[in-house]
Amino acid sequence: MVKGWWFRARSDSLSASDRARDRAVHPDDHNCRAGIFQMTQRMYIPLSVITIFLGSFLLFTVQPIIGKYIQPWFGSTSAVWSTCLMFFQGVLLLGYLYAHLLGRLRPQRQLSLHALLVALTLLIGAVHMRNWASPILPSVEVAIDSSPIPTILFLLSLSIGLSFLLLSSNSTLVQHWYAHVFPHRNAYALYAVSNGGSLLALLAYPFLVERAIGLRLQSHIWFILLILYALLILVCAALAARWQARSIVPENKPDVADPIQSDVPLKRTLFWFLLSMTGSVLLLAVTSEMTQNVAPIPFLWVVPLSVYLLTFILGFTRLFAAYRPAGPALLFAGGLMALYALNQKLVIPIGHTIAWLSGALFCVCLFCHGTLHATRPDHRHLTFFYLVIALGGFTGGFFVSIVAPLIFPAYWEIQIASCLALLLAAWQTIHVRTWPMPVRYAAAALSIAFCGLFAQTIVQELQSYVYLHRNFYGTLRVEKEIRGEGPQELRRYALKHGDIVHGLQFSRTEYRYRPVAYFSEDSGVGRAIRHHPLRDIPDHSFRIGVVGGGIGTLVAYARDGDRVRLYELNPAVQELALNTDYFTYLADYADRWSAVIGDGRWALAADLETAGTPLFDVLALDAFNGDAVPVHLLTREAFDLYLNCIDRENGVLAVNITNKHVDFRPLIRAVADEFRLNAVILDGPGDGIITIPNRWALLTRNPDMFRSPAFRAGRVSLIDAPPMRLWTDDRSSLLELMKF
């Protein structure tokens, strides 16, 4: 009987009439096959759950791994992660399109093509392992003057493009197969499993993975789990192909059906698209807002992304359906949270800012994703539905990463996304048949009126600054302030990167030629320069290096014969400092400085290799994006480079650690212990007008330098700084230093 069953297994691909004839001739064999089918069918449920969960876990684990790895090559700006997110959303769209088209093929052809994709993905990973010593982390030298966005997209495509495509199709394909195996079950419920795996991956990375495992080891473990996933997905595909073949199939069914679902109304499709795009725009906007004023680190990547996924999980459950009429109220709450966070972010602690922005993201995205679930199609259009969602997500990412920097001079995406959500809520409210017409139109009018509050924040920003400019590296703002009248008039210009003041200069006063803001004579860096033992040696050309050149304030310390070397990542900053009337330090001291455009660490390494000898007497590290310090400038490898760049006996490394959100004392203590340096932290006074309160860490090999009375005022103890392990390029976590 069993032998006969194996020989007649071909009957699964026969027509319905042939199978009926086969059952009549061999009833015992048919019953045996039916029993085995039912048993394996029950096994398919946990198999689908495990496969979707593991695939989603891998999908969202690889994102912070590769993002953190390539970020230092492009200045560690928040835009690097935004570009990565756009890439992930684009490949996710391709994955959904692949799943949609694959689902239109015959079962056996689905299995064959997907097996080919799996094999090719693993093969490319093995090739990478041989060439890079890692399956996904490229060992590629990136030119400092490379165009950031095309280079990032190329590196991501080369390293994880195919594997991400495979994982992107995971949830949609398994749900599609599940719907054919269990036509009377809700396959959309597996979407919550997918988002659950993604959410676990995001939460585990900053709190466990990043702090315990280096990037290289993370990539190897990830690839091993990818091999396990490949086996699971092939088993799912093989079983689904066998079961789909048992169903009644018309004899003349074409290999591929029309991929465009003509019976889905265009209006509904557009509504899905706009809902998905709105959530995506707000996700990237909130992420940029958090990271540009703290640090572009995995923790602040995963918080908004986790909230975003959580709204998918909750929105795609029946529980939310009961509360869906409260969607407009949810939006109003989210809008108020966003407005409060935008207006108070410089006053409230960073933990509060993260909470308010996350709350706004949660409310708006829960409305968008809950509405998506409420308007979902039946299982026949499942893959098309997810394809439209992916298209909206990618369009949102493309808008924030590519379009917005070209058309907007500042970050206004939070306002735009909030207004779009309110307009969608107004449109939906009008079509709620169960509400009285006056109520519907009143709610819609209130939603539209609410948009005016967000528009007001944009108008206010345009009126507050005399200069606004945005590019890949962030937003530059110049604020003009005039105090007093006549001869006593005090006019100053403040450069803001993001929302943080990065430099000040006064015009028509004695302060025009003096270093101010964080760099005054009483600041740590000011004292390091003025009281340096080599400062007054005759015929000695005092050498100052500045990583994060800004408007060139430190050039004011240079005297005749001295040389200042500026390293500035953002070309727009130097253009502003050199070719406008707002700031004149570089023009006033044109013969005393030179500049390099590019990431300071890599440019320093190139200069050191060319010179072959120490470059500076004082090297100031003042590189910030908003209020965020690029972590790759604070690792063991980076400090080793800095120490090789300064004079071996009397060189001073001055690190600006002024920050509201991060306590750098443990890091400075770790650096001093690692390299056996004499270290001191100095707090500089600030009146808020001429100077800004500042904190600098000074490090030197000279054991007697900081015994001078000049370094006593404002001294901060390092003894009570908690110990920490010094960061490396392979392992770092700014989370352990953050002040919430």
Side-chain angles (χ1 to χ4, degrees):
M1 181 187 303
V2 175
K3 182 178 180 180
W5 177 78
W6 283 105
F7 276 104
R8 284 186 296 276
R10 64 181 181 81
S11 64
D12 287 340
S13 61
L14 299 178
S15 65
S17 59
D18 290 338
R19 285 202 300 273
R21 190 183 309 110
D22 186 64
R23 284 196 299 270
V25 176
H26 304 284
D28 294 337
D29 292 351
H30 170 72
N31 293 335
C32 177
R33 292 197 302 275
I36 294 176
F37 173 78
Q38 292 175 0
M39 180 181 67
T40 52
Q41 190 182 41
R42 287 192 295 270
M43 293 174 56
Y44 193 75
I45 298 176
L47 180 64
S48 300
V49 171
I50 294 172
T51 303
I52 288 181
F53 187 89
L54 179 59
S56 299
F57 184 87
L58 293 173
L59 184 70
F60 279 82
T61 302
V62 75
Q63 296 181 35
I65 291 176
I66 191 68
K68 182 178 180 179
Y69 182 77
I70 70 170
Q71 196 180 43
W73 298 350
F74 305 94
S76 291
T77 67
S78 60
V80 176
W81 178 246
S82 297
T83 305
C84 289
L85 272 182
M86 181 189 69
F87 171 84
F88 298 143
Q89 290 172 324
V91 180
L92 187 70
L93 172 62
L94 293 178
Y96 281 11
L97 178 60
Y98 164 77
H100 177 69
L101 296 177
L102 192 70
R104 317 311 298 170
L105 301 176
R106 292 183 181 275
Q108 291 301 326
R109 185 162 295 185
Q110 291 183 38
L111 174 60
S112 300
L113 289 178
H114 204 59
L116 179 62
L117 177 62
V118 169
L120 188 59
T121 300
L122 298 181
L123 176 62
I124 290 179
V127 172
H128 288 342
M129 185 87 73
R130 181 175 180 178
N131 295 333
W132 299 339
S134 169
I136 58 173
L137 302 180
S139 54
V140 180
E141 293 292 337
V142 179
I144 293 177
D145 59 348
S146 297
S147 299
I149 292 179
T151 307
I152 292 172
L153 297 178
F154 171 75
L155 284 174
L156 292 174
S157 301
L158 183 66
S159 58
I160 64 167
L162 201 59
S163 56
F164 203 87
L165 176 66
L166 172 66
L167 293 171
S168 296
S169 65
N170 162 60
S171 177
T172 306
L173 272 181
V174 177
Q175 287 183 68
H176 172 74
W177 295 333
Y178 184 93
H180 281 79
V181 177
F182 303 102
H184 301 296
R185 290 178 179 266
N186 179 21
Y188 285 105
L190 292 176
Y191 196 53
V193 175
S194 172
N195 287 312
S198 305
L199 184 61
L200 179 63
L202 291 175
L203 295 178
Y205 191 83
F207 295 107
L208 297 176
V209 178
E210 182 187 26
R211 305 178 77 171
I213 306 173
L215 283 170
R216 290 282 177 183
L217 183 55
Q218 291 174 29
S219 69
H220 288 285
I221 295 174
W222 183 88
F223 191 67
I224 292 172
L225 292 176
L226 181 66
I227 296 174
L228 174 60
Y229 165 79
L231 296 175
L232 291 174
I233 193 68
L234 289 178
V235 172
C236 282
L239 293 177
R242 179 174 178 79
W243 290 327
Q244 288 183 63
R246 293 174 62 92
S247 61
I248 298 177
V249 182
E251 294 290 342
N252 297 322
K253 179 183 176 181
D255 282 344
V256 181
D258 183 1
I260 304 300
Q261 304 293 334
S262 58
D263 53 343
V264 176
L266 179 61
K267 184 185 296 185
R268 178 179 291 191
T269 301
L270 180 61
F271 190 55
W272 294 338
F273 171 82
L274 292 175
L275 287 169
S276 177
M277 187 186 75
T278 300
S280 177
V281 170
L282 192 60
L283 166 64
L284 271 75
V286 167
T287 304
S288 296
E289 185 66 41
M290 290 183 182
T291 55
Q292 71 173 331
N293 288 320
V294 183
I297 57 174
F299 172 70
L300 293 179
W301 297 340
V302 305
V303 167
L305 193 52
S306 298
V307 172
Y308 180 79
L309 288 174
L310 182 61
T311 61
F312 262 120
I313 296 172
L314 296 177
F316 274 64
T317 60
R318 295 180 179 178
L319 178 64
F320 179 74
Y323 299 95
R324 191 167 60 85
L330 199 64
L331 276 183
F332 293 148
L336 291 174
M337 291 181 188
L339 288 170
Y340 179 79
L342 291 173
N343 290 326
Q344 302 295 321
K345 57 189 173 184
L346 297 180
V347 179
I348 59 179
I350 180 58
H352 295 185
T353 302
I354 293 174
W356 285 110
L357 288 175
S358 298
L361 180 66
F362 177 84
C363 292
V364 174
C365 287
L366 185 57
F367 163 78
C368 293
H369 300 154
T371 305
L372 278 172
H373 181 256
T375 57
R376 69 193 185 280
D378 58 40
H379 290 161
R380 292 180 301 119
H381 308 306
L382 182 145
T383 58
F384 178 70
F385 175 64
Y386 286 133
L387 179 62
V388 175
I389 292 178
L391 179 60
F394 171 71
T395 304
F398 184 83
F399 173 79
V400 174
S401 301
I402 305 297
V403 179
L406 297 176
I407 63 176
F408 299 140
Y411 284 102
W412 295 333
E413 287 85 358
I414 290 181
Q415 294 93 321
I416 292 171
S418 300
C419 289
L420 182 56
L422 288 165
L423 293 176
L424 290 173
W427 185 87
Q428 186 192 31
T429 301
I430 292 175
H431 293 81
V432 177
R433 304 287 184 183
T434 57
W435 290 9
M437 185 173 294
V439 174
R440 283 188 275 166
Y441 281 95
L446 183 60
S447 298
I448 296 173
F450 209 128
C451 296
L453 297 177
F454 289 99
Q456 179 61 31
T457 63
I458 297 176
V459 173
Q460 184 177 358
E461 185 169 12
L462 288 171
Q463 294 174 344
S464 301
Y465 298 99
V466 296
Y467 177 89
L468 284 172
H469 177 79
R470 177 178 175 180
N471 62 7
F472 177 82
Y473 301 102
T475 297
L476 300 177
R477 301 176 173 93
V478 176
E479 184 179 47
K480 178 182 178 181
E481 185 177 1
I482 299 177
R483 293 173 179 246
E485 297 180 356
Q488 303 300 320
E489 179 183 278
L490 191 64
R491 178 183 300 176
R492 75 172 191 177
Y493 294 96
L495 172 64
K496 290 186 176 181
H497 190 286
D499 299 300
I500 307 300
V501 174
H502 278 223
L504 296 173
Q505 187 168 18
F506 295 83
S507 63
R508 298 194 302 175
T509 70
E510 66 208 76
Y511 296 106
R512 168 174 172 169
Y513 302 99
R514 291 173 53 182
V516 295
Y518 307 97
F519 316 100
S520 65
E521 294 181 353
D522 292 329
S523 67
V525 67
R527 285 185 261 179
I529 295 173
R530 292 172 57 232
H531 301 283
H532 194 280
L534 301 179
R535 176 69 167 168
D536 297 318
I537 294 180
D539 300 327
H540 176 73
S541 176
F542 198 74
R543 303 160 301 169
I544 303 172
V546 186
V547 177
I551 62 173
T553 307
L554 287 175
V555 175
Y557 282 106
R559 299 180 296 198
D560 290 340
D562 293 345
R563 299 303 301 167
V564 180
R565 182 75 159 167
L566 305 174
Y567 299 90
E568 176 56 51
L569 176 67
N570 190 348
V573 172
Q574 188 172 18
E575 178 68 22
L576 179 63
L578 191 59
N579 297 319
T580 66
D581 296 331
Y582 307 126
F583 308 106
T584 62
Y585 284 116
L586 297 185
D588 293 339
Y589 302 98
D591 59 336
R592 301 178 186 179
W593 62 272
S594 60
V596 178
I597 299 299
D599 182 85
R601 178 174 167 181
W602 315 127
L604 266 175
D607 279 356
L608 181 63
E609 183 178 0
T610 301
T613 59
L615 301 169
F616 309 111
D617 299 309
V618 173
L619 176 60
L621 186 61
D622 184 47
F624 288 84
N625 291 304
D627 204 23
V629 181
V631 174
H632 76 287
L633 299 180
L634 301 174
T635 63
R636 178 189 287 114
E637 295 84 351
F639 279 103
D640 184 60
L641 170 65
Y642 305 148
L643 293 174
N644 287 327
C645 288
I646 61 176
D647 184 81
R648 298 190 184 281
E649 295 183 5
N650 297 301
V652 176
L653 175 62
V655 185
N656 190 348
I657 57 173
T658 309
N659 201 287
K660 295 192 305 178
H661 312 307
V662 183
D663 180 9
F664 284 107
R665 291 180 306 137
L667 177 67
I668 299 302
R669 177 180 174 181
V671 172
D673 293 343
E674 176 73 17
F675 295 99
R676 299 181 180 179
L677 302 173
N678 186 21
V680 64
I681 293 180
L682 301 176
D683 279 349
D687 57 14
I689 301 175
I690 309 298
T691 60
I692 298 176
N694 56 84
R695 173 172 287 188
W696 287 82
L698 307 181
L699 301 105
T700 182
R701 297 185 182 94
N702 187 334
D704 301 320
M705 182 171 295
F706 299 141
R707 293 177 182 176
S708 166
F711 296 98
R712 292 178 184 171
R715 196 157 182 162
V716 178
S717 174
L718 273 174
I719 299 177
D720 60 342
M724 65 168 283
R725 180 175 53 189
L726 185 57
W727 295 337
T728 66
D729 288 344
D730 190 57
R731 183 183 300 177
S732 62
S733 176
L734 192 63
L735 183 61
E736 56 188 322
L737 300 183
M738 289 182 63
K739 298 181 291 187
F740 291 98

